[in-house]
Amino acid sequence: MPAIDLLLREYDRARAFTDELWRDLTPEEVTWRPHENFSPIGWHLGHQAHVAHFMVRNLTAAEPSPDPELDPIMDSANPEAGRGALPDLRRLATFRENAARTVHKRIGDIRDGDVGAPAQLAMVAKVVMAAVVNHEYQHSKWISEVRARDLGHALPDLPTSDLLLELDGYLVCDLGI
């Protein structure tokens, strides 16, 4: 199983790839919906961050959300129609950055042994980080499809890493298990 540092780098690589998919889009493109029951790119961006923070905080330590007002909007358990309005792109980017910062802080504490049950939490952290990376790539695939097919923008090259492989058209983190 990969070391925690490698998984944190893979998380950063996945987030950087997602950022390449949306940073050059207009606010209208980020909030556009292909169909009324489809989430816009902006929702996927917030959802990725929400899930990363949610998984880390609930599986390793209780910690407040980086933006509690966005939690009901970015939670896929809430029906599309009742989620509420997306934040502006600046707030969305800040939410993503703050969620990543909390993930790095908590997983870094686990890596450094600054937690109770350090061996057990190190195993949990590895599996959680692989899931977080895979979730980031899962939604970047949808963003890519909308960006290219519906919005007509070119796609950046897919990231490469010794930890990544492609399954069913999705990049996934290979834990070697």
Side-chain angles (χ1 to χ4, degrees):
M1 187 174 290
I4 289 174
D5 278 338
L6 291 175
L7 291 164
L8 284 170
R9 281 197 294 275
E10 206 57 56
Y11 174 54
D12 291 341
R13 183 186 336 274
R15 288 185 315 102
F17 177 67
T18 299
D19 284 346
E20 283 187 76
L21 294 171
W22 77 277
R23 291 283 187 176
D24 65 335
L25 300 179
T26 67
E28 293 76 23
E29 289 172 318
V30 173
T31 59
W32 176 77
R33 295 172 185 263
H35 307 292
E36 73 178 42
N37 290 322
F38 277 49
S39 301
I41 287 172
W43 179 83
H44 289 270
L45 298 170
H47 175 72
Q48 289 166 314
H50 171 75
V51 167
H53 177 77
F54 183 82
M55 287 182 67
V56 169
R57 82 170 188 203
N58 284 315
L59 296 175
T60 68
E63 183 175 295
S65 171
D67 192 333
E69 291 176 7
L70 294 183
D71 289 345
I73 296 168
M74 302 307 173
D75 190 340
S76 60
N78 293 328
E80 179 76 38
R83 288 184 188 151
L86 288 174
D88 63 52
L89 298 188
R90 184 174 181 193
R91 185 174 178 192
L92 189 57
T94 299
F95 181 61
R96 286 179 58 82
E97 291 164 13
N98 288 341
R101 191 173 6 268
T102 65
V103 166
H104 268 274
K105 170 75 171 103
R106 181 61 183 161
I107 299 300
D109 287 348
I110 292 169
R111 176 201 58 220
D112 297 341
D114 293 338
V115 294
Q120 184 268 346
L121 278 177
M123 182 63 71
V124 170
K126 290 175 183 181
V127 174
V128 167
M129 286 310 302
V132 166
V133 168
N134 291 343
H135 183 258
E136 186 80 17
Y137 282 125
Q138 176 186 4
H139 286 272
S140 71
K141 170 96 170 135
W142 187 91
I143 294 167
S144 294
E145 291 169 354
V146 170
R147 175 187 172 89
R149 180 192 63 224
D150 299 318
L151 300 175
H153 292 282
L155 293 175
D157 292 336
L158 290 175
T160 58
S161 163
D162 291 341
L163 292 183
L164 293 178
L165 58 100
E166 191 174 326
L167 294 175
D168 299 327
Y170 292 87
L171 288 177
V172 295
C173 189
D174 182 8
L175 288 179
I177 38 182

